[in-house]
């Protein structure tokens, strides 16, 4: 109950109270440290001053004793040192006036002489107070005995002959020997009273400083808290309306307010810009939170789904579709798995028709990178696909026309030759001429047959028969076969760590053999064909390089077209077939060539074969 009452009285969670407590702590801690340091230094300085004063009085008494010491004073005593009591009385009569004079000059101070030879107090001033101590010996553990033994001055605080005192003891040195010691002492109570006065002054000064600091901190914190309150209330208002600026303030807080107002204006402008962009984008955009509830839709999405933003904001994304519809959404998949989808073609069922949609989804994150939802961009490609079908049909018709023209050209030449030979032989009766021209006719027929065979292979492609293929071994076999067709030098530079791949081995053999033979036919005598391999992540590359005549720049775009060939006897179907084989494997073929600098053909194939037929996504 008391704790609750204290919290109610002192709401430490307010900014002003925190500022006051923090400031007081910052101020009080140095004041306390300085106060403690001053108190210690004051006490140390007081003791040092007392010790210096007491040792000064002891040195005055040492001078009063004279250079001869006790021996000079006792020289006129008939009995000398033999009569201890007489010697003590004699020395007391000689030295008591000096000790009384010094003691009277420093009230509260006690001074005296001690004789080591007599082991007795010779005099203790003021005599009126301490005459009864004359003739007494100090205890065995008295620090005065250490002073006489070590010949080192010493100040000691404790309870001695006089009581609790600070005692300064000075050895009396004559001819290198300690003949006694002189003391000068003062009651500890008097010293403690002076030290307490110093402590009181330090405490008063510290408390006064804290009171003044508290007043200043209270005034400043009230002003600062009031100005911070203006900022807090202004920020609360900005949550509802970014167009309401915070009132201007002074000094650094004024700069903070200006910065906040500037950021609010920039944020409002950015929000307006984003809203305008979303409103003007032709593609549909839908965003959802982590629970799958719609958080934003643009006008294009409203038109695509046939809804308004007011109807769907805050509702589950599945509510945009009929309950009986089978839904396999890329947006919800991204939301659940974090997997990004790019340009996925899906079917979007609508009441009047099913639309073909190009969908791209990604994860939404806040400024800290934390996932807050997902967004999908939907593009209606139904009309585009219809136009693409028409374009592809037109392209196929054009290609068919080119193919027909090529076939006609390739077939006409052998037929013309056959017709000419037949006409000639029809009028010829010589059997020798029939034997001479018969093989020529057969070669022309074989040429036609070869052309028809290539056309059949090109026109009826078979799907690849996928198996594990050792590409370096396959390259060695094709290089061996190609060597028999020319005296060109074939060099192999296969990667030793080249992996096996999934491919149609026979189709790859056909493609590689065509490329190597083309390279051999393009080089002059003594040329070199280099076949190399390398691995690039999930793909492998096969490179066929020659130092032959090269290909003219205007012909590079045509080398893979059917019936295009720069060789007099070529059909133009070899590279077209290679391109079709590589494409069936999901690979890419590129060519780089320049006249007189040779040609480089590169095939890139995936290590793992993927079916090229896309799966429908709804």
């Amino acid at each position: 109950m008391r704790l609750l009452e204290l919290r109610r009285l002192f709401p430490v969670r307010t900014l002003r109270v925190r500022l006051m407590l923090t400031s007081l702590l910052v101020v009080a801690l140095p004041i306390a440290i300085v106060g403690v340091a001053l108190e210690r230094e004051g006490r140390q300085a007081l003791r040092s001053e007392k010790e210096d004063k007491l040792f000064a009085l002891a040195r005055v008494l040492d001078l009063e004793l004279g250079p001869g010491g006790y021996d000079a004073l006792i020289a006129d005593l008939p009995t000398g040192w033999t009569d201890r009591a007489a010697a003590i009385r004699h020395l007391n009569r000689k030295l008591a006036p000096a000790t009384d004079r010094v003691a009277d000059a420093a009230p509260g101070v006690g001074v005296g002489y001690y004789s080591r030879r007599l082991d007795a107090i010779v005099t203790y001033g003021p005599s009126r107070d301490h005459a009864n101590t004359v003739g007494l010996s100090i205890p065995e553990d008295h620090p005065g005995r250490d002073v006489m033994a070590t010949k080192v001055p010493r100040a000691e605080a404790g309870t001695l002959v006089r009581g609790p005192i600070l005692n300064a003891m000075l050895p009396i040195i004559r001819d290198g020997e300690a003949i006694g010691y002189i003391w000068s002492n003062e009651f500890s109570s008097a010293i403690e009273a002076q030290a307490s006065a110093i402590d009181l002054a330090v405490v008063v000064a510290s408390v006064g400083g804290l009171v003044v600091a508290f007043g200043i901190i209270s005034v400043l914190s009230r002003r600062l808290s009031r100005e911070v309150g203006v900022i807090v209330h202004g920020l609360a208002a900005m949550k509802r309306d970014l167009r309401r600026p915070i009132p201007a303030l002074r000094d650094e807080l004024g700069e903070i307010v200006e910065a906040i107002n500037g950021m609010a204006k920039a944020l409002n402008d950015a929000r307006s810009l984003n809203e305008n962009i979303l409103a003007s984008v032709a593609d549909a955009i839908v965003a959802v939170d982590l629970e799958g509830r719609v958080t934003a839709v643009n006008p294009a999405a409203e038109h695509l789904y046939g809804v308004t933003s007011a109807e769907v904001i805050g509702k589950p994304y599945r509510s945009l579709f009929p309950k009986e519809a089978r839904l396999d959404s890329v947006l919800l998949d991204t939301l659940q798995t974090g997997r990004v989808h790019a340009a996925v073609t899906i079917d979007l069922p609508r009441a009047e028709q099913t639309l073909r949609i190009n969908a791209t989804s990604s994860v939404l994150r806040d400024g800290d990178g934390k996932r807050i939802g997902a967004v999908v961009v939907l593009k209606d490609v139904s009309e585009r696909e219809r136009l693409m079908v028409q374009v592809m049909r037109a392209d196929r018709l054009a290609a068919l026309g080119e193919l027909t023209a090529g076939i006609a050209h390739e077939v006409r030449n052998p037929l013309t030759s056959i017709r000419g030979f037949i006409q000639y032989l029809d009028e010829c009766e010589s059997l020798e001429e029939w034997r001479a021209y018969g093989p020529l006719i057969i070669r022309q027929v074989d040429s036609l047959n070869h052309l028809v065979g290539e056309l059949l292979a090109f026109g009826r492609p078979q799907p690849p028969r996928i198996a594990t293929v050792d590409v370096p071994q396959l390259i060695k076999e094709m290089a061996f076969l190609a060597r028999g067709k020319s005296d060109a030098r074939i060099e192999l530079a296969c990667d030793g760590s080249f992996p096996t791949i999934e491919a149609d081995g026979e189709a790859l053999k056909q493609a590689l053999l065509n490329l190597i033979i083309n390279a051999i036919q393009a080089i002059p005598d003594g040329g070199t064909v280099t076949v190399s391999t390398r691995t690039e992540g999930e793909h492998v590359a096969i490179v066929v390089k020659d130092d032959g005549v090269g290909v003219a720049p205007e012909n590079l775009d045509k080398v893979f077209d059917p019936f295009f060939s720069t060789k007099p006897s070529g059909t133009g179907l070899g590279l077209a077939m290679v391109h079709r084989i590589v494409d069936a494997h999901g690979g890419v073929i590129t060519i780089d060539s320049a006249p007189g600098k040779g040609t480089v053909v590169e095939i890139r194939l995936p290590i793992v074969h993927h079916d090229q037929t896309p799966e429908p996504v709804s």
Side-chain angles (χ1 to χ4, degrees):
M1 183 66 182
R2 291 181 179 179
L3 182 59
L4 294 176
E5 292 177 354
L6 286 175
R7 287 184 175 178
R8 198 175 296 114
L9 292 174
F10 302 101
V12 295
R13 294 190 176 184
T14 64
L15 177 63
R16 185 186 176 196
V17 172
R18 290 183 178 180
L19 287 174
M20 291 180 65
L21 291 177
T22 303
S23 301
L24 282 176
L25 180 62
V26 171
V27 172
L29 188 60
I31 289 177
I33 293 174
V34 171
V36 172
L38 286 176
E39 187 269 341
R40 291 185 177 179
E41 290 294 329
R43 284 179 172 269
Q44 186 64 34
L46 178 63
R47 174 161 177 162
S48 297
E49 184 269 333
K50 292 296 183 181
E51 290 179 358
D52 292 343
K53 183 185 77 171
L54 293 176
F55 276 117
L57 295 176
R59 291 188 183 93
V60 169
L61 291 178
D62 191 23
L63 293 176
E64 289 287 342
L65 187 58
Y70 293 132
D71 287 338
L73 293 178
I74 210 168
D76 57 348
L77 183 64
T79 58
W81 293 97
T82 57
D83 189 347
R84 180 176 181 275
I88 292 173
R89 286 193 301 272
H90 180 76
L91 290 175
N92 180 266
R93 188 169 57 254
K94 295 273 189 177
L95 297 174
T99 55
D100 288 342
R101 186 169 59 252
V102 171
D104 291 339
V109 174
V111 295
Y113 292 95
Y114 193 87
S115 172
R116 187 177 188 182
R117 188 170 185 177
L118 297 173
D119 194 18
I121 297 174
V122 174
T123 179
Y124 200 153
S127 299
R128 62 180 177 274
D129 297 329
H130 307 297
N132 60 327
T133 62
V134 175
L136 297 178
S137 298
I138 60 177
E140 291 297 326
D141 59 350
H142 194 284
R145 296 192 181 276
D146 291 336
V147 171
M148 291 185 292
T150 60
K151 304 176 186 178
V152 177
R154 180 175 175 181
E156 186 79 20
T159 302
L160 301 177
V161 176
R162 192 182 179 195
I165 58 173
L166 175 61
N167 194 25
M169 294 163 282
L170 181 71
I172 304 171
I173 308 297
R174 295 295 184 271
D175 297 329
E177 294 293 330
I179 63 173
Y181 75 93
I182 302 169
W183 69 84
S184 176
N185 57 45
E186 187 173 2
F187 282 110
S188 299
S189 57
I191 299 174
E192 186 62 31
Q194 295 180 30
S196 299
I198 294 175
D199 293 346
L200 180 61
V202 171
V203 170
V204 171
S206 300
V207 172
L210 287 174
V211 171
V212 173
F214 181 80
I216 296 174
I217 291 170
S218 178
V219 173
L220 294 178
S221 64
R222 183 183 296 110
R223 175 187 169 186
L224 181 61
S225 178
R226 188 185 307 116
E227 293 180 344
V228 171
V230 172
I231 297 176
V232 171
H233 293 306
L235 289 174
M238 277 186 175
K239 289 183 178 180
R240 298 184 295 272
D241 186 1
L242 285 174
R243 293 171 294 181
R244 292 181 59 182
I246 301 174
L249 296 175
R250 298 173 297 176
D251 304 327
E252 287 82 358
L253 288 179
E255 296 178 3
I256 294 175
V257 168
E258 290 181 4
I260 294 175
N261 288 337
M263 287 189 292
K265 185 178 183 303
L267 182 59
N268 188 48
D269 293 343
R271 178 184 293 178
S272 300
L273 178 62
N274 291 336
E275 290 174 353
N276 291 333
I277 291 174
L278 288 176
S280 60
V281 169
D283 296 338
I285 300 175
V286 181
V288 296
D289 59 15
L290 293 176
E291 302 298 326
R293 294 186 295 265
V294 178
T295 57
V297 292
N298 68 339
E302 295 177 6
H303 176 72
L304 181 66
Y305 288 102
V307 296
T308 63
S309 59
E311 295 173 348
V312 297
I313 295 296
K315 294 183 178 180
Y317 177 68
R318 291 182 179 274
S319 65
L320 298 179
F321 303 90
K323 293 183 179 180
E324 66 279 2
R326 177 179 174 270
L327 184 62
D328 187 8
S329 169
V330 295
L331 175 62
L332 296 181
D333 180 71
T334 297
L335 182 65
Q336 295 168 3
T337 65
R339 186 167 52 243
V340 175
H341 297 278
V344 177
T345 301
I346 64 174
D347 291 329
L348 183 66
R350 294 287 88 197
E352 62 282 359
Q353 63 176 332
T354 298
L355 302 177
R356 293 289 287 175
I357 302 296
N358 218 351
T360 299
S361 61
S362 60
V363 177
L364 285 178
R365 301 183 185 276
D366 60 14
D368 297 326
K370 183 179 179 182
R371 191 166 66 169
I372 59 174
V375 63
V376 65
V377 179
L378 305 170
K379 186 178 184 67
D380 186 357
V381 294
S382 302
E383 183 64 20
R384 188 186 71 180
E385 287 197 354
R386 186 183 65 80
L387 294 176
M388 286 181 62
V389 170
Q390 293 181 355
V391 171
M392 291 174 63
R393 184 179 296 114
D395 287 343
R396 285 197 297 269
L397 290 174
L400 181 59
E402 293 180 2
L403 181 62
T404 303
I407 294 173
H409 175 75
E410 294 296 331
V411 171
R412 178 181 297 168
N413 291 334
L415 287 178
T416 301
S417 299
I418 294 171
R419 185 175 183 277
F421 289 134
I422 295 297
Q423 285 180 340
Y424 176 76
L425 292 176
D426 185 46
E427 300 174 356
C428 179
E429 298 179 357
S430 173
L431 183 61
E432 294 298 326
E433 290 191 11
W434 274 90
R435 290 175 178 175
Y437 289 106
L440 296 177
I441 296 173
I442 292 174
R443 281 200 296 270
Q444 295 298 323
V445 173
D446 289 342
S447 176
L448 286 174
N449 187 51
H450 176 70
L451 175 61
V452 172
E454 287 195 349
L455 282 173
L456 289 174
F458 183 77
R460 293 187 299 181
Q462 298 294 325
R465 297 180 177 87
I466 302 301
T468 301
V469 176
D470 184 351
V471 175
Q473 181 62 31
L474 186 145
I475 292 173
K476 291 179 182 178
E477 294 176 3
M478 295 303 102
F480 178 78
L481 291 178
R483 281 193 182 97
K485 301 179 180 296
S486 172
D487 58 353
R489 187 168 59 255
I490 300 177
E491 296 181 353
L492 304 183
C494 296
D495 185 359
S497 59
F498 200 80
T500 58
I501 67 172
E502 295 179 359
D504 185 337
E506 294 302 320
L508 286 187
K509 285 181 180 180
Q510 181 182 356
L512 283 173
L513 187 59
N514 276 337
L515 291 178
I516 297 174
I517 291 175
N518 278 356
I520 290 174
Q521 293 174 349
I523 61 178
D525 294 338
T528 302
V529 176
T530 303
V531 184
S532 60
T533 61
R534 67 176 183 272
T535 306
E536 297 179 350
E538 297 180 356
H539 291 75
V540 296
I542 305 172
V543 181
V544 179
K545 178 181 179 182
D546 66 63
D547 52 5
V549 296
V551 181
E554 64 271 15
N555 293 331
L556 276 178
D557 293 336
K558 305 175 185 178
V559 294
F560 296 115
D561 292 346
F563 297 107
F564 175 82
S565 177
T566 58
K567 294 179 293 185
S569 60
T571 63
L573 292 176
L575 286 180
M577 184 65 68
V578 173
H579 188 282
R580 172 163 288 181
I581 292 171
V582 173
D583 188 62
H585 283 78
V588 177
I589 183 171
T590 59
I591 184 170
D592 184 17
S593 183
K597 296 184 179 179
T599 303
V600 178
V601 179
E602 178 176 323
I603 297 175
R604 295 183 74 252
L605 300 172
I607 296 175
V608 179
H609 180 77
H610 298 284
D611 191 358
Q612 300 298 305
T613 304
E615 296 183 359
V617 180
S618 60

